[in-house]
């Protein structure tokens, strides 16, 4: 059933099709027993990442974030820690182009599901730091203080050393 829902994404012609396919995927995931074992997790992560493309409207992004939220809530914490890198690859780039409607939901997702992973964030820490840095905006933006607090929470959940290493990795790779 999940495989059929995922293959439907190939047939999408317009963005409303994506919302319909995301709703279908959500229904399948909601019916799945807990703890959730995401079938075809690599393909699920790929499809979700495609639904966060910069050219798609905020409505598709919000529906996609709802799907991430559902997956993260139903996964066992140890499974989420093992699989977080799959989902992060499509999720983190959204910060660069997230609309003002979408950004708070993305930050909620990071705060509620990434930060509690603590040291298990290691495989995606530099990506998370880059994501948060791109979400900073100028110091007068609404999200600036919240992103700064999230960076501090990530530091507390990991360590100052790990956060600084990830920060330098971001700076060196993106200089």
């Amino acid at each position: 059933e999940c495989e059929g829902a995922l293959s439907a994404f190939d047939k999408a012609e317009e963005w409303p099709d994506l919302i319909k396919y995301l709703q279908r995927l959500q229904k399948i995931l909601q019916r799945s027993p807990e703890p959730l074992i995401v079938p075809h997790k690599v393909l699920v992560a790929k499809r979700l990442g495609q639904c966060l493309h910069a050219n798609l409207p905020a409505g598709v992004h919000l529906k996609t974030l709802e799907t991430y939220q559902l997956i993260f809530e139903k996964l066992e914490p140890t499974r989420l820690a093992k699989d977080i890198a799959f989902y992060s690859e499509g999720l983190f780039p959204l910060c660069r182009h997230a609309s003002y409607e979408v950004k708070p939901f993305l930050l909620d997702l990071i705060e509620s599901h990434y930060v509690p992973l603590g040291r298990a964030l290691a495989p995606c820490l530099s990506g998370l730091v880059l994501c948060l840095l791109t979400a900073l905006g100028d110091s007068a933006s609404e999200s600036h203080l919240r992103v700064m607090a999230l960076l501090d929470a990530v530091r507390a959940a990991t360590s100052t050393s790990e956060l600084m290493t990830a920060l330098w990795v971001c700076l060196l790779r993106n200089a």
Side-chain angles (χ1 to χ4, degrees):
E1 185 178 19
C2 188
E3 198 171 335
L6 293 171
S7 66
F9 283 84
D10 288 331
K11 300 172 188 136
E13 293 181 15
E14 295 183 11
W15 66 263
D17 296 334
L18 294 173
I19 290 178
K20 181 173 71 173
Y21 301 146
L22 285 166
Q23 288 170 331
R24 184 174 168 202
L25 180 60
Q26 284 179 358
K27 286 178 184 172
I28 292 166
L29 294 170
Q30 286 167 341
R31 288 193 306 261
S32 298
E34 290 188 35
L36 178 67
I37 297 173
V38 179
H40 312 288
K41 66 184 172 190
V42 175
L43 187 55
V44 168
K46 178 182 174 184
R47 294 297 184 224
L48 292 176
Q50 289 170 335
C51 291
L52 295 176
H53 191 277
N55 292 339
L56 293 170
V60 175
H61 294 164
L62 289 170
K63 183 55 75 176
T64 306
L65 291 177
E66 279 179 25
T67 309
Y68 276 108
Q69 179 83 14
L70 175 65
I71 291 169
F72 292 172
E73 286 174 353
K74 290 190 78 162
L75 280 175
E76 244 178 18
T78 54
R79 172 57 55 195
L80 178 59
K82 288 178 184 174
D83 294 348
I84 198 72
F86 289 117
Y87 300 108
S88 301
E89 189 175 342
L91 189 61
F92 290 166
L94 177 62
C95 263
R96 275 184 252 135
H97 58 266
S99 70
Y100 70 92
E101 301 166 273
V102 172
K103 196 173 284 187
F105 290 100
L106 177 58
L107 296 177
D108 286 345
L109 198 66
I110 291 169
E111 185 174 24
S112 59
H113 297 288
Y114 279 78
V115 174
L117 293 176
R119 294 194 180 252
L121 285 171
C124 64
L125 187 57
S126 59
L128 176 60
V129 168
L130 182 60
C131 169
L132 292 172
L133 289 176
T134 60
L136 270 175
D138 64 64
S139 59
S141 72
E142 286 181 32
S143 61
H144 184 81
L145 290 176
R146 182 154 184 217
V147 172
M148 291 300 291
L150 270 173
L151 282 166
D152 193 48
V154 169
R155 182 205 47 81
T158 56
S159 72
T160 301
S161 173
E162 287 176 302
L163 180 69
M164 296 312 286
T165 299
L167 179 63
W168 280 105
V169 166
C170 291
L171 291 173
L172 291 171
R173 286 186 182 159
N174 295 287

